[in-house]
Structure formats: structure tokens, C-alpha cells
Amino acid sequence: MPKKIKFNEPMVFNDSKNYLLKVVNNKVFADGEFQSRSEKKIKKLINCESVNLTQSCSSALEVSMILSNIKKGDEVILPSYTFTSTANCVLLRNAKPVFADINVNDVNLDIKSVEKKITKRTKAIIVVHYGGVSCDMDKFLKLKKKYNLILIEDAAHAFLGKYKNKYLGTIGDFGAFSFHESKNIVGGQCGALVINNKKFIKRADVVLDKGTNRRSLGKKNYYSWQDIGSEYRSPELSAALVYSQLNNIKKIQNLRKKIWINYFRDLKKLEGKIFYIPYIRNKDKTNAYHTFPVIFNNIKIRDKFIKFMRQNKILCYFHYYPLHMSNYGRKISKTKLKNTEKVYKGLVRLPIYPSLSQLQVMSIIQKFQSFIKKNSYL
Ligand SMILES: Cc1ncc(COP(=O)(O)O)c(C=O)c1O
């Protein structure tokens, strides 16, 4: 009997164990060497000036909202097809999340829908690079300039993805990465805030350190309360885990890329009647290979596929329940988003992670093929 194929499995290295042990032996569990080493390494990898390791992508997004001075009466435009954190960070500032529609061909924000939603109250746009593939950043940068907005990249999926010659997360005013155990780089629950607009850097240290000036004491030997803030920085154990992953980043990304390319090559041929792959080849966009999504024609066939794969011991999942359709989202927004609803009803993610073997990938592809054969003529 073949073993069950998991949906995701983080990769752990020998370094991971050694570094975690080092933290325990050194007894420095906060703001230690692995926090600063990871931040330095990320800066070098993605070529940027300011990186702060945070407890999560959610906290990085929250800090970006505080630094942007988002407040009551302000509106922030974002996709509805995203995780709750992209909207929660806006609500936590008492501002209003405004949901815009996405493109069906890449699951990223539709620029036209975004522009239609801009009002006098709009202060910022949060783009999500879905699955690790970039939004059309030139168009968003134009919009930012035209309406004088703050641009935040929710790059939870997109570490090491690129747009033209820039790494995702380094293009807008802020970038937020997730190093949750479900992501390409794993720190347990962890993330990073990238600040690309220099005017926000100084205050960030205070907000990230519970509102204190711990990092800029100068001649004083005590620190004090300066501003609002919280404990947003990553624990040292998570930082050690992240550091070990960063040391093995080439291996992780190459293995993910290989799987992604295999799926694409074999499944692209089957596209047409009942599903398509929401990916457009574009030389300006370098994939971070976080997810491999396919979109079925309707929810019935989507659920039938998930069930079929499960019967064959392969775990596949749909993704977000659109925020504007959720119980909580309906209290905030009465909008209808045609493409978001279509994508929600059809999208399924296939397993993709470094320890997935070639044999397992082949077996997933074979099962996919047999499902399509059986169901194309219904
Ligand atoms: C688009 C997006 N943003 C933010 C998050 C939140 O990330 P974290 O768990 O690191 O807070 C997720 C989580 O999966 C996500 O998918």
C-alpha cells in the first residue's frame, strides 16, 4: 500500500538542530545572535536595507499599518482572496478594508478593480503576490504615485520571488514575509518586515520594541516608553530555525522549483475542458514556487477532485474562503467580486515541498491525469 502523501512538510536540517541547541545552551532567548544574523542574511539575499525579523507576517503587516499612520476614517484596498491577516491589520487601526477583485489568470489583484475603489479616504494598497508570483508592480507603482498612496507588499508566499530585477517585498514602501511552518522558509511561527521607504525606519525600532527606545539608548542607561508598539520581534528559537533554513535556501528553492516545473510540464497538456493553471509565462516575473494551484470549472468538480485524490491518499486543499463572503467580512462589506468568487469555487493546491520525492510527484500527476480522463466528458 503506498503511503499517504502529505500536503506539506517543512524541511529540517542538521544545522537546525545545532542552532536550536546553541540557543538553549547560551540561554539567550530574545534578541540574540540568530535574530541579527538572519536579518543580515535576508538583507543580502534580497538586496535591501532594512529587515526586522517578526513573530509572523501578520505582525509585520500590523507594524506597517502603524508606521503608515493608518487610522479611523482611512481606507485600505486589498484583495478578498487572501488570509485574514491582510485585512485584520487594517481593522486593528480602526480603518476600513476595501476589497478589490483579482485576475482569474494569475489570482493577483486586478489593477482596474483597485483603481475603481480609490476614494479621497484611500491611504494605502496592500498587494498579495499569490503563490509567490508577482503582481504587475509597475502598474501599482504608477497608481501609488498618481494618488499619493502607501504601497505594502504582502509577500507571505513570495520570499525570493522577483519582479524585473527586484526581489518581491523590496518594491513597495513595506514588504511582509511569512516564515510560518507552511511556507518556503520555516521558523515555526515567524516572519519579517522589510522597510523600503527610509522615512519609516527610525520609528520602526520603537514600535517593534513595545513602544520603547531600547535600541537607541545613546548615553542613557535606561529605556522608556516613547510611542505605541508591541512585542513584534521574533523569538530567538524561531530565528535560529530561520537561519538554518536560510543557509540551505538554494537547496529548498531548487527542490520546489523542480516539482513546480514537473507539474506544469505535464498538467499544462491537459488544460482545457475542466480546469486551467492560473499562471502566465512572463519574463519579468520570477516565481518563488510557493504553491501549485489549478482552477476547476466549478465547486462540484473541485470537491470531487479533492475527494478523489484523498481516496488515493494524496492530500490537496482549496485555499482562501474569500474575506468579503465570510461571516465577519459581510459585516464590513457588501461588495460582489466576480473573479474572486469564481477562483474560490475552483482553486485547488497540489502538494509542493522539498521532501516530496520524484516518485510521489509522478504518482500525483498520474492520478490527476486519470481524474481528468474520467471527468472530461461528463
Ligand atoms: C497572503 C497571506 N498573508 C499573511 C499571512 C499570515 O502569515 P503568518 O502566519 O506568518 O502571520 C498568510 C498566511 O498564510 C497569507 O497567506
Side-chain angles (χ1 to χ4, degrees), residues 56-58 82-83 85-86 128 154 156-157 178 180 183 190 320:
S56 60
C57 180
S58 308
T82 180
F83 201 69
S85 312
T86 324
V128 174
D154 179 337
H157 306 174
S178 174
H180 184 266
K183 302 302 187 301
C190 196
Y320 306 116

Side-chain angles (χ1 to χ4, degrees), residues 193-249:
L193 173 69
V194 179
I195 306 176
N196 306 306
N197 186 332
K198 287 196 180 101
K199 74 176 183 196
F200 297 117
I201 291 180
K202 200 165 163 224
R203 189 177 173 214
D205 265 346
V206 174
V207 174
L208 285 154
D209 276 335
K210 292 168 270 202
T212 70
N213 58 347
R214 273 162 42 121
R215 298 236 165 173
S216 54
L217 283 182
K219 282 184 187 145
K220 286 189 195 133
N221 57 5
Y222 62 93
Y223 60 83
S224 62
W225 192 16
Q226 308 287 322
D227 198 341
I228 59 164
S230 187
E231 180 53 287
Y232 288 118
R233 294 199 191 272
S234 152
E236 186 64 1
L237 282 164
S238 287
L241 200 49
V242 164
Y243 190 68
S244 72
Q245 303 258 318
L246 292 170
N247 276 347
N248 291 283
I249 188 67

